[in-house]
Amino acid sequence: MGDETVIIRSVLAMNEDTPAAGITRMPFGALPDGRDVDLYLLTNDNGMRASITGYGGIVTSLTAADRRGESADVVLGFDDLGAYLEGHPYFGAIIGRYGNRIANGTFELGRTTFTLAQNNNNNHLHGGAIGFDKALWSAQPQSVPEGPQLRLTHVSADGKEGYPGRLDLTVDYTLTHDNELRVDYRATTDDPTHVNLTNHSYFNLAGPGGGDILSHEVLINADHFTPVDEGLIPTGEIRSVEGTPMDFREPATIGARIDTDDEQLRFGSGYDHNFVLNRVDRELSLAARVIEPTTGRVMEVLTSEPGVQFYTANFLDGRLTGKGGTAYGRRCALCLETQHFPDSPNKPEFPTTVLRPGEVYESTTVYRFSAI
Ligand code: GLA
């Protein structure tokens, strides 16, 4: 099916109660340099919707049905592009080249020392000053048997934010008819570099104005985590979760232990830690399951990555006002950022994040929604 057909078919569906599946494009504004930005609305066969913009590859909204079939938007974000441009903590965005921190913004590769932006105290965070979350990706709406798909492509120039090598990227967002948002990342380089891509969506399964996420129940499929120092850089230790507030092998509410007097929770002001996933299948294994008890909404996160950063929005403080005028307060959302471990470029004992010419970086994460 041609792209035009996909768009025309679904344009009709936008304001209907039972929309037809497909993908439609609408204007979302312009960047300060005049480039136009579009927003794409993906609808699957069940009426589930995702809206995604080429700016930062940001998922601006994502609906999920509760146990009574009521749909609500389960991600944080803004109503207009202007608010995204004013600055925000990575709401819904594609993160890269390197998700999470690189100590002191530096690493050695080959015989060269590379210096990156130090945009988080003296460390490098989420790709630097102008990471992939602020790039205008080229967008191509398409249809695959699984559901509507938005293909985003971007070229990160050699030397951008201090990283070596030109990086050619493709990110496919597919809203499947099985109520999943599937993200397939692919990258190639012309010089050895480090790559660690993720999506930084903030979820609140209770929907807009759902308050804090402390009563969300979380399972994380991890026997170990990577403890951090005060600057949230991993110490290098792979520590058992046994007997710690990091043990989510059985479902627990986020609030149950988040304020425990625990050094790791103090350093993170709550949960902001990388979990070492128990992987059965290197292609796609369960990383986490989240249940919101009042609505019955369930989100499962499956990934090909070895780790997941569990972050409970400890740094939100009510000063940002999001969609529909909602003030985003402390811990009003949770992030499950699938990834390789933070600071891997300086931790040879961690799974490598080096990508070399001729190799293909491939990574898949699925956010699957249901209700109980
Ligand atoms: C990640 C980091 C956090 C924070 C958020 C965004 O989760 O680990 O420390 O930077 O992103 O604010």
Side-chain angles (χ1 to χ4, degrees):
M1 189 191 291
D3 301 326
E4 287 298 317
T5 324
V6 179
I7 292 169
I8 292 163
R9 195 176 105 198
S10 52
V11 131
L12 300 166
M14 284 202 39
N15 294 315
E16 291 173 12
D17 289 342
T18 324
I23 180 165
T24 185
R25 179 180 59 218
M26 62 199 99
F28 196 44
L31 298 182
D33 65 11
R35 284 178 296 166
D36 288 329
V37 178
D38 288 328
L39 187 69
Y40 294 82
L41 181 70
L42 288 70
T43 306
N44 76 3
D45 277 351
N46 311 314
M48 181 179 175
R49 293 170 171 208
S51 58
I52 303 169
T53 171
Y55 178 70
I58 295 173
V59 178
T60 61
S61 71
L62 182 65
T63 67
D66 69 6
R67 64 167 72 93
R68 294 173 305 150
E70 295 281 327
S71 276
D73 184 1
V74 295
V75 294
L76 270 50
F78 302 108
D79 290 319
D80 58 89
L81 179 65
Y84 284 103
L85 294 175
E86 275 170 33
H88 63 101
Y90 309 95
F91 287 161
I94 296 171
I95 307 297
R97 288 190 196 189
Y98 201 94
N100 212 277
R101 290 175 180 76
I102 297 176
N104 302 310
T106 182
F107 61 80
E108 270 175 43
L109 194 54
R111 294 211 181 92
T112 314
T113 301
F114 293 93
T115 307
L116 312 171
Q118 296 179 333
N119 58 323
N120 186 251
N121 301 316
N122 56 330
N123 299 318
H124 179 80
L125 176 68
H126 293 332
I130 305 181
F132 297 164
D133 59 297
K134 295 181 187 70
L136 181 58
W137 295 66
S138 300
Q140 178 68 43
Q142 43 200 30
S143 180
V144 295
E146 294 78 20
Q149 183 180 76
L150 186 66
R151 168 159 291 184
L152 298 176
T153 53
H154 176 60
V155 178
S156 172
D158 183 10
K160 186 89 178 73
E161 297 295 314
Y163 289 97
R166 166 191 156 126
L167 198 67
D168 283 79
L169 297 131
T170 302
V171 177
D172 288 334
Y173 281 111
T174 312
L175 186 66
T176 77
H177 301 308
D178 294 326
N179 296 341
E180 302 162 331
L181 182 63
R182 178 183 173 111
V183 197
D184 293 294
Y185 306 83
R186 196 166 182 280
T188 53
T189 185
D190 62 1
D191 223 358
T193 190
H194 282 284
V195 187
N196 189 28
L197 305 176
T198 193
N199 174 280
H200 208 307
S201 286
Y202 285 66
F203 298 96
N204 185 322
L205 299 187
D212 67 49
I213 41 70
L214 298 180
S215 60
H216 281 51
E217 290 169 15
V218 172
L219 172 143
I220 302 178
N221 184 21
D223 292 340
H224 296 89
F225 74 107
T226 51
V228 288
D229 65 16
E230 280 173 289
L232 300 187
I233 297 294
T235 60
E237 182 189 345
I238 305 279
R239 187 181 292 173
S240 169
V241 298
E242 180 85 44
T244 79
M246 305 291 162
D247 192 347
F248 284 98
R249 292 174 296 180
E250 295 292 325
T253 63
I254 294 174
R257 296 164 297 175
I258 197 168
D259 288 322
T260 312
D261 186 18
D262 172 270
E263 185 184 64
Q264 286 298 311
L265 290 173
R266 267 202 309 282
F267 288 165
S269 293
Y271 294 104
D272 193 353
H273 294 82
N274 172 64
F275 288 72
V276 178
L277 295 171
N278 303 331
R279 289 196 289 173
V280 269
D281 171 359
R282 296 224 160 220
E283 302 232 311
L284 219 47
S285 292
L286 182 75
R289 181 180 294 118
V290 184
I291 300 174
E292 200 290 303
T294 60
T295 60
R297 287 196 187 92
V298 179
M299 178 176 74
E300 288 180 313
V301 181
L302 298 99
T303 188
S304 60
E305 286 297 306
V308 66
Q309 186 83 8
F310 178 45
Y311 171 58
T312 45
N314 311 303
F315 301 136
L316 290 179
D317 57 10
R319 278 185 294 178
L320 272 182
T321 301
K323 287 178 269 189
T326 308
Y328 290 144
R330 188 165 189 238
R331 297 176 177 167
C332 74
L334 63 98
C335 301
L336 287 159
E337 303 152 55
T338 54
Q339 61 184 6
H340 272 54
F341 307 167
D343 201 31
S344 297
N346 296 305
K347 299 276 189 310
E349 64 273 33
F350 287 174
T352 184
T353 51
V354 176
L355 181 71
R356 297 182 190 282
E359 296 174 349
V360 181
Y361 170 97
E362 280 178 308
S363 174
T364 296
T365 293
V366 171
Y367 306 90
R368 179 184 289 160
F369 293 87
S370 57
I372 51 167

